[in-house]
Amino acid sequence: MKITRIDLKLKINPMEPDLYGSAFLTISNPSSSIELMINKNLQWLEIYAEVRGKKYYFTPQEKIVSEDHFLKTAKIWSIDLPDEIQNLDEFHLSIRYSGEIESDPWSTNYISEDGVELGIYVAYYPILNITDRISFSLMLQAPKNWSWIMNSERLKDCQCDIWVSEEPKVDLYIVGVPTDVAISQDKFSRFWGLKRNYDKFSVLDDFLQRYYYSIVEILGKPPLDNFSLVLVSRETGGMITRQGIIVMSDNISDQVITEKRDILLLKWVHEIGHFWFNKTSVESYHNWIDEALCDYIALFISRQELGEDFYIVQLEEIKDKIKNATDLLPLKKITRQHDKADILFYKYGSLIFHDIFELIGEDKFKLFLSKFAKLSLDAIQIETEDLENTLTEVYKKDWKTYLTKKLEEIPSI
C-alpha cells in the first residue's frame, strides 16, 4: 500500500506558529489498515473516505514509535479500513489538520517571521512510507508580501501560489522569505532567497554555472534544469537538495568563500549530483550509491576544473580520514542514520568509485555515469544490483564479486 498522489491546500501565516492543511490522498492497494505519519504537534480535524456515494469517517489511533524511527518528529496513527475500501485497487482519503510544527533534530524545518522551510523530515503533510514517490499539487495561502519556491514547477498564469508535479517525488519541499529581504529576480542568478549576504555569494555565480554545465555535459539535463541555490536564515543543519533546489544557510564566513572557495564549490557539486542520483532508500545500505556517487562526481569535476594535483590531495585527505577512523563496520551493515554513515557512505564510497575509474579509464567511466544517470532518472528505486548491471554493460567484469567484497568487508586503506 502506498500514496501515489497528494493534492494539498496549505494555509501559512509566518507571523503565527500555526498552519492549516487540507490533503486529498490517492492510495493504491489498500489493506485492512493504514498507518499515517504526521508531525507530533499537528492535530487531526477530520479524516474520511467516500466510496460509491457513502462517506466513511475515521478516528485514528496513535501507535508506539520505535526509537530508530527515521522521522523523529512524527507520530504514527493507525486507521482501520472497511471491506468496501480493502477490495478497491485504490481509494481517496480526505484529511484536514492543523497546529504548530515541531522542528526536526537538525532544526531545518520551521515557520517564523524570518522565513519558512518545510519538508518530509518534519512531516508537515500526511506520509504513509518515506520511500513513497508521489505526484502532487500544492496550493498555498500565505501573505502576499512573501516569496516562495518549491521543488517543482509553479503553475503559470495564475494569481495563486500553486505548484504541480506529475513526476513522482519523495518530498514536497517549500521555502518562503519576506519579499522585501529577498534577492532581486530582475537579473539572472542561480541564487534565490535572502539578500542580506548575497553579495559575497554572488562572486561564485559564474563558478556555479560552469561546474553545473560540466556535470550536464556528462550526465545530461536533469528534469528541472532551471535550479536555484536557496539561501535561508537558519543557523544549523546542512545543505538539503530536492529536484531543482539546493537549500543552505546564508550564514557562512567571508573566509570560507575566499580561502575555502573550492571546497564550498565541491559541496555544491555534490548536492547538484542529487538531481540525478536520488532513488535509493534512506532506510537501506543501498543509499551509499547516491551519496558516494555525488561525492565522487564532485571530485571528478574538480579534477577537470582545478587540476590533477587538487584531485589527488582530496583523495589523500579521504584516505587519511578512513585510516584514522575507529570502530568502522562493513558498509553493508549500516544505514544512513548510523553515526559512521558519513565516512562509510560518502568517503569510503567515493573511494570505491575512484577505484572503478582507475580500473576502466576516463572514457568508459564517463559512459558509465551517463548510462547510470539515465537509469536513475527513469527508475522508481535503485539498488546495488542496478549499479552492477550498468557497470557490466560498460565494461565486462565480475562487478558483483568486486562490490560484494567492498561492501561486506571492513574498509582498509
Side-chain angles (χ1 to χ4, degrees):
M1 180 163 53
K2 64 179 182 179
I3 297 174
T4 58
R5 183 175 180 86
I6 179 171
D7 294 289
L8 181 63
K9 294 180 180 178
L10 202 64
K11 181 179 180 181
I12 298 176
N13 183 353
M15 306 306 292
E16 300 175 0
D18 287 359
L19 67 77
Y20 170 83
S22 176
F24 186 72
L25 308 180
T26 301
I27 303 170
S28 65
N29 302 317
S31 56
S32 59
S33 65
I34 180 172
E35 293 186 352
L36 292 175
M37 294 175 276
I38 202 161
N39 191 273
K40 292 177 180 179
N41 288 349
L42 292 175
Q43 306 297 319
W44 305 115
L45 301 178
E46 183 179 60
I47 304 178
Y48 70 90
E50 185 169 354
V51 178
R52 300 185 182 92
K54 181 179 178 180
K55 283 188 176 181
Y56 297 86
Y57 288 88
F58 304 109
T59 302
Q61 302 298 313
E62 186 176 348
K63 303 282 288 185
I64 296 174
V65 180
S66 64
E67 289 185 2
D68 62 350
H69 189 247
F70 190 77
L71 297 183
K72 302 300 183 185
T73 59
K75 287 183 177 180
I76 301 176
W77 300 83
S78 178
I79 297 171
D80 292 329
L81 300 176
D83 292 342
E84 290 85 350
I85 290 179
Q86 295 176 45
N87 295 330
L88 299 174
D89 292 331
E90 71 173 24
F91 75 105
H92 302 289
L93 197 62
S94 296
I95 298 173
R96 292 191 301 110
Y97 60 95
S98 68
E100 298 183 19
I101 290 290
E102 178 177 318
S103 187
D104 60 283
W106 311 278
S107 300
T108 56
N109 288 257
Y110 50 87
I111 298 175
S112 75
E113 61 185 32
D114 297 320
V116 172
E117 189 176 351
L118 297 171
I120 192 171
Y121 292 147
V122 81
Y124 77 93
Y125 56 90
I127 297 164
L128 179 54
N129 310 295
I130 64 169
T131 54
D132 284 348
R133 293 186 177 268
I134 58 178
S135 60
F136 67 84
S137 67
L138 190 151
M139 179 184 293
L140 178 66
Q141 182 181 344
K144 296 297 183 185
N145 57 342
W146 274 62
S147 298
W148 301 87
I149 194 169
M150 278 199 77
N151 58 323
S152 64
E153 297 285 358
R154 186 192 296 266
L155 197 63
K156 297 178 180 178
D157 302 322
C158 179
Q159 297 299 314
C160 305
D161 287 321
I162 301 176
W163 295 265
V164 177
S165 175
E166 298 305 328
E167 176 201 359
K169 297 187 178 183
V170 75
D171 198 357
L172 283 68
Y173 209 92
I174 186 166
V175 181
V177 296
T179 303
D180 63 350
V181 296
I183 297 167
S184 172
Q185 299 298 298
D186 60 0
K187 64 177 181 178
F188 179 80
S189 173
R190 286 290 183 185
F191 292 94
W192 188 99
L194 294 177
K195 65 182 178 184
R196 63 181 186 178
N197 291 321
Y198 170 60
D199 284 347
K200 65 183 180 183
F201 284 98
S202 63
V203 300
L204 301 179
D205 221 330
D206 289 342
F207 291 99
L208 183 58
Q209 286 286 91
R210 193 175 80 213
Y211 281 40
Y212 173 67
Y213 287 118
S214 293
I215 300 171
V216 169
E217 188 176 346
I218 299 171
L219 304 182
K221 288 185 177 180
L224 288 179
D225 187 33
N226 188 26
F227 83 93
S228 297
L229 203 154
V230 180
L231 303 176
V232 296
S233 62
R234 58 177 158 83
E235 300 295 326
T236 59
M239 297 183 195
I240 295 173
T241 303
R242 298 294 183 263
Q243 196 65 255
I245 58 174
I246 300 169
V247 186
M248 65 171 285
S249 170
D250 73 338
N251 187 27
I252 65 172
S253 69
D254 294 345
Q255 183 183 13
V256 169
I257 291 179
T258 56
E259 298 179 17
K260 298 183 178 180
R261 181 199 69 189
D262 294 334
I263 302 302
L264 177 60
L265 286 166
L266 289 193
K267 290 182 178 180
W268 287 351
V269 173
H270 172 105
E271 300 302 331
I272 289 170
H274 281 304
F275 295 164
W276 291 267
F277 303 115
N278 55 45
K279 294 293 180 65
T280 58
S281 170
V282 296
E283 295 183 308
S284 80
Y285 78 91
H286 298 292
N287 187 239
W288 82 272
I289 298 172
D290 286 342
E291 301 304 344
L293 253 183
C294 290
D295 237 38
Y296 186 67
I297 283 172
L299 287 174
F300 192 73
I301 294 298
S302 79
R303 181 173 171 268
Q304 174 180 310
E305 297 290 339
L306 300 171
E308 187 77 20
D309 289 346
F310 180 88
Y311 174 78
I312 291 172
V313 167
Q314 300 308 308
L315 286 174
E316 290 305 315
E317 288 185 2
I318 291 173
K319 291 175 183 178
D320 287 342
K321 287 180 180 179
I322 295 171
K323 288 177 184 176
N324 295 328
T326 58
D327 302 324
L328 291 182
L329 299 169
L331 189 154
K332 198 172 183 178
K333 295 293 185 181
I334 69 167
T335 64
R336 206 166 81 190
Q337 294 100 302
H338 196 277
D339 61 2
K340 300 295 182 181
D342 179 72
I343 197 161
L344 289 172
F345 280 25
Y346 295 66
K347 305 308 177 189
Y348 177 62
S350 66
L351 289 187
I352 293 175
F353 283 109
H354 168 68
D355 287 346
I356 293 171
F357 165 63
E358 296 226 302
L359 278 169
I360 69 178
E362 183 169 347
D363 290 343
K364 292 288 188 183
F365 192 77
K366 284 183 176 179
L367 180 60
F368 152 68
L369 288 176
S370 175
K371 286 181 174 292
F372 197 61
K374 186 178 187 309
L375 176 67
S376 185
L377 289 178
D378 293 341
I380 295 174
Q381 186 164 302
I382 289 289
E383 295 188 347
T384 303
E385 183 179 356
D386 301 303
L387 175 63
E388 296 164 359
N389 293 338
T390 307
L391 284 167
T392 302
E393 184 182 346
V394 171
Y395 188 91
K396 301 300 181 185
K397 176 181 169 61
D398 183 5
W399 292 107
K400 183 176 179 62
T401 299
Y402 172 87
L403 287 171
T404 296
K405 180 178 175 64
K406 293 287 187 182
L407 303 182
E408 292 187 354
E409 294 182 358
I410 296 174
S412 61
I413 302 299

